[in-house]
Amino acid sequence: MDDFDLKKYQGLWYEQKFHDWTQFKEVYDTTLDIKLTPDGTGWIDDFGVKGPAPASAKLSWDKSPVANGAHYFLFGRVDPADPPGVLRESGFGVEFPNYIVDVKRNPTTGEYDEAIQFQCLERGGVRVFEGINFMSRRPQMDAAGLEEMHARAEKAGMYPYGADPEQMHTVARRPEGLGNVDNSWQKMWRAIGVDRLLEMLTESIEDGGR
């Protein structure tokens, strides 16, 4: 993207659809909260997930220790040698390019309302990973809006990499306003300190990437 603006890319995104064999399809309410470093040359990506989704585990989803969320941090940097819209991201023990292929701008403010990401990693001439993410500033998108994103992805030449509807998974979402899950199982997890353990793990990952 020739006119990509990293400042407009930061903030909270709701993942709508993805193509990624490393990401469990049973997760729900997935978000990415991107915060720039003070000098504007790097960022922290707080990848939040909950799981399992109510529809995929109807009898047990609310008993999960991560029913109210867990976090994994990815860390990014801007390489001056890269063209605009190419971000270097580190996570899962490797650094890989994250291409911002497309954004939809708010017609009034010019801010980014939607974004399409593409990640690809090769080793020895073999493609070992590819990921595609459809993201929006809104928790919910209707079918027409998602179809428009697919059309933009197809125009950008992403269908051979998995951006067609048949190869992408729609992220499940609980209705807004329901709040956190709070039952005897969640009280038990808190009583034995699972919530604090998850917080400590999150903090250690975040600190390790600084």
Side-chain angles (χ1 to χ4, degrees):
M1 291 187 57
D2 293 336
D3 57 350
F4 178 74
D5 187 340
L6 186 57
K7 291 182 179 179
K8 293 182 179 180
Y9 179 66
Q10 69 177 330
L12 181 62
W13 292 97
Y14 296 89
E15 186 179 50
Q16 303 293 331
K17 303 186 80 170
F18 66 82
H19 170 83
D20 182 349
W21 61 266
T22 69
Q23 188 171 335
F24 293 109
K25 292 182 173 61
E26 291 78 11
V27 299
Y28 71 103
D29 284 2
T30 309
T31 58
L32 298 90
D33 195 359
I34 299 168
K35 298 178 182 177
L36 294 182
T37 56
D39 62 4
T41 62
W43 72 92
I44 299 174
D45 183 351
D46 179 352
F47 182 61
V49 298
K50 300 176 183 178
S56 65
K58 296 179 180 179
L59 299 179
S60 62
W61 73 273
D62 60 345
K63 303 174 180 63
S64 166
V66 292
N68 289 317
H71 298 264
Y72 187 87
F73 286 88
L74 302 171
F75 303 91
R77 65 182 179 87
V78 177
D79 188 331
D82 288 332
V86 179
L87 311 174
R88 298 286 167 173
E89 204 158 80
S90 298
F92 311 103
V94 295
E95 183 181 77
F96 51 90
N98 186 6
Y99 302 91
I100 312 304
V101 178
D102 177 271
V103 297
K104 183 177 181 179
R105 295 170 174 81
N106 185 292
T108 302
T109 66
E111 298 297 314
Y112 294 166
D113 285 347
E114 298 173 5
I116 299 176
Q117 295 182 343
F118 173 59
Q119 307 92 35
C120 187
L121 185 64
E122 291 187 356
R123 288 292 184 268
V126 177
R127 191 190 311 158
V128 296
F129 170 76
E130 57 192 15
I132 299 169
N133 309 91
F134 286 5
M135 309 188 307
S136 171
R137 297 296 191 184
R138 306 185 306 278
Q140 301 281 358
M141 287 184 65
D142 58 22
L146 291 172
E147 287 177 5
E148 288 179 5
M149 292 194 83
H150 277 291
R152 300 202 303 271
E154 183 178 21
K155 184 178 180 181
M158 298 177 66
Y159 267 31
Y161 300 95
D164 58 283
E166 291 75 20
Q167 296 190 68
M168 293 196 71
H169 174 74
T170 301
V171 177
R173 296 207 170 272
R174 290 181 73 209
E176 294 182 73
L178 292 183
N180 284 342
V181 178
D182 190 14
N183 53 30
S184 59
W185 282 88
Q186 299 308 317
K187 290 182 174 64
M188 179 190 72
W189 297 129
R190 291 195 296 270
I192 63 177
V194 171
D195 57 338
R196 182 54 189 156
L197 180 62
L198 290 172
E199 288 177 6
M200 291 173 61
L201 179 61
T202 297
E203 291 169 359
S204 67
I205 295 172
E206 184 177 10
D207 290 341
R210 292 185 191 279

